[in-house]
């Protein structure tokens, strides 16, 4: 049975930058050799080239959180405080991808991922939005098809991070409140849910950290931040172990030219360490 040490090339995480409010939304950009990440509390979006200081690329993100690219390489971000998912064009014009479902405002979009057919999937956690302001009476996972239509994929208890299996037939969703676990939502060829199940239990005696950001490597292992650090599961849901970092991460991304650098957004700082198996490439760059 494999262990965490079998997966890691380096065991000590390197701090790349610090002094932030609460970091989230990590994303590797192979075209520039840099990472994007958000500081939720300061509503800023940063770009970090390893070895250089991070630079602010957008102010006033409206509580910007999860990020991804669309198939044309445009940045997509969940603006939690603005209750919407937007796309940033090359001229920095902001386009709304989703802010309503069936005429009702989203509650607080949290994280986002792109499928190879161009669909954008995102979670609507609700977060700190007062219940009196909720227009949709549930938390959910949504899909925005290339024609701009917003579809409800599934109601969930508290959906947070999300990631696809290598064949994109399973969408993993972290449940961040109430009962800590990971959903496995099985999809049909169009990307709609046909079945769902519990993939992994993330209950823990450790109290610092909750199921949050998630990524999958090329061998189908699931990496999900949680209590104590980043939990790793084999494709069948077996718990391999926990990657420990100086601060508890909220999210992570595979990056570097070989996709074997794990980049962690961990509260006041961002960290990196090396793994032996690459992560899944974004469909834009496959």
């Amino acid at each position: 049975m494999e262990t965490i040490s079998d997966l890691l090339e380096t065991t000590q995480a390197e701090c790349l930058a610090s002094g932030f409010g609460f970091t989230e939304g990590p994303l590797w950009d192979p075209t520039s050799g840099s990472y994007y990440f958000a500081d939720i509390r300061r509503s800023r979006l940063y770009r970090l080239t390893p070895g250089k200081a991070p630079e602010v690329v957008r102010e006033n993100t409206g509580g910007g959180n999860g990020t991804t690219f669309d198939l044309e390489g445009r940045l997509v971000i969940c603006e939690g405080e603005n209750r919407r998912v937007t796309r940033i064009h090359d001229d920095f014009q902001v386009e709304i991808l989703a802010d309503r479902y069936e005429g009702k405002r989203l509650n607080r979009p949290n994280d986002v991922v792109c499928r190879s057919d161009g669909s954008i999937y995102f979670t609507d956690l609700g977060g700190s939005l007062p219940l009196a302001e909720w227009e949709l009476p549930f938390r959910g996972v949504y899909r925005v098809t290339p024609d701009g239509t917003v579809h409800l994929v599934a109601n969930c208890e508290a959906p947070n991070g999300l990631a696809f299996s290598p064949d994109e037939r399973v969408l993993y969703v972290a449940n961040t409140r109430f009962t800590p676990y990971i959903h496995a939502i099985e999809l049909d060829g169009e990307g709609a849910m046909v079945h769902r199940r519990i993939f992994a239990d993330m209950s823990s005696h450790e109290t610092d950290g909750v199921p949050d950001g998630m990524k999958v490597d090329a061998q189908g292992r699931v990496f999900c931040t949680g209590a104590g650090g980043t939990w790793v599961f084999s494709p069948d849901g077996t718990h391999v172990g926990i990657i420990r970092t100086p601060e508890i991460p909220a999210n992570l991304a595979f990056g570097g030219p070989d996709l074997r650098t794990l980049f962690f957004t961990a509260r006041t700082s961002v960290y990196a360490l090396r793994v032996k198996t690459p992560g899944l490439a974004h469909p834009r760059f496959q």
Side-chain angles (χ1 to χ4, degrees), residues 242-265:
I242 299 175
I243 300 173
R244 307 282 179 172
T245 43
E247 297 176 79
I248 304 295
N251 211 332
L252 73 159
F254 286 92
D258 59 3
L259 293 178
R260 290 200 297 115
T261 297
L262 267 183
F263 179 78
F264 301 93
T265 49

Side-chain angles (χ1 to χ4, degrees), residues 15 56 77 166-167 191 266 269 271 274 276:
C15 183
V56 177
I77 185 168
D167 64 2
S269 309
Y271 297 88
R274 295 282 292 168
K276 296 177 182 178

Side-chain angles (χ1 to χ4, degrees), residues 69-123:
F69 292 113
D70 67 10
L71 288 187
E72 294 185 29
R74 296 169 296 192
L75 191 71
V76 175
I77 185 168
C78 291
E79 301 181 9
E81 293 174 5
N82 290 338
R83 302 173 68 173
R84 64 188 191 178
V85 180
T86 60
R87 176 162 53 204
I88 304 172
H89 291 259
D90 290 340
D91 58 1
F92 289 95
Q93 291 298 308
V94 176
E95 173 192 1
I96 297 174
L97 281 183
D99 63 352
R100 297 178 182 273
Y101 173 67
E102 295 186 339
K104 298 179 180 179
R105 289 190 72 189
L106 300 172
N107 295 320
R108 191 181 178 100
N110 187 278
D111 209 348
V112 62
V113 67
C114 179
R115 197 166 183 248
S116 61
D117 65 356
S119 296
I120 300 294
Y121 287 70
F122 68 92
T123 54

Side-chain angles (χ1 to χ4, degrees), residues 21-249:
F22 193 96
T23 58
E24 249 285 9
L27 178 66
W28 168 248
D29 180 7
T31 62
S32 64
S34 60
Y35 297 93
Y36 287 96
F37 67 94
D39 187 336
I40 297 176
R41 292 179 181 165
R42 295 171 183 167
S43 282
R44 288 176 177 166
L45 180 68
Y46 288 88
R47 181 168 52 213
L48 171 64
T49 301
K52 298 182 179 180
E55 58 176 322
V56 177
V57 295
R58 184 183 168 196
E59 298 270 13
N60 304 315
T61 63
N65 194 337
T67 62
T68 191
F69 292 113
D70 67 10
L71 288 187
E72 294 185 29
R74 296 169 296 192
L75 191 71
V76 175
I77 185 168
C78 291
E79 301 181 9
E81 293 174 5
N82 290 338
R83 302 173 68 173
R84 64 188 191 178
V85 180
T86 60
R87 176 162 53 204
I88 304 172
H89 291 259
D90 290 340
D91 58 1
F92 289 95
Q93 291 298 308
V94 176
E95 173 192 1
I96 297 174
L97 281 183
D99 63 352
R100 297 178 182 273
Y101 173 67
E102 295 186 339
K104 298 179 180 179
R105 289 190 72 189
L106 300 172
N107 295 320
R108 191 181 178 100
N110 187 278
D111 209 348
V112 62
V113 67
C114 179
R115 197 166 183 248
S116 61
D117 65 356
S119 296
I120 300 294
Y121 287 70
F122 68 92
T123 54
D124 188 18
L125 175 60
S128 59
L129 183 70
L131 285 175
E133 297 180 26
W134 286 37
E135 295 185 20
L136 292 163
F138 54 82
R139 301 175 174 92
V141 180
Y142 295 87
R143 170 174 57 110
V144 184
T145 52
D147 66 2
T149 305
V150 180
H151 303 264
L152 177 66
V153 177
N155 291 352
C156 295
E157 269 190 299
N160 197 321
L162 70 174
F164 286 108
S165 62
D167 64 2
E168 295 188 331
R169 298 308 294 266
V170 177
L171 177 66
Y172 298 105
V173 181
N175 193 74
T176 200
R177 294 184 182 177
F178 314 116
T179 304
Y181 61 89
I182 298 175
H183 258 132
I185 298 177
E186 297 174 14
L187 305 173
D188 62 19
E190 299 300 316
M193 182 182 73
V194 294
H195 179 70
R196 65 177 165 185
R197 54 188 166 83
I198 301 299
F199 170 74
D201 182 2
M202 290 188 66
S203 301
S204 174
H205 68 278
E206 300 189 52
T207 58
D208 194 2
V210 296
D212 200 334
M214 186 161 35
K215 297 296 184 294
V216 175
D217 75 9
Q219 293 186 10
R221 299 184 192 94
V222 176
F223 293 66
C224 185
T225 60
T230 300
W231 294 44
V232 182
F233 299 92
S234 61
D236 65 2
T238 300
H239 185 207
V240 176
I242 299 175
I243 300 173
R244 307 282 179 172
T245 43
E247 297 176 79
I248 304 295

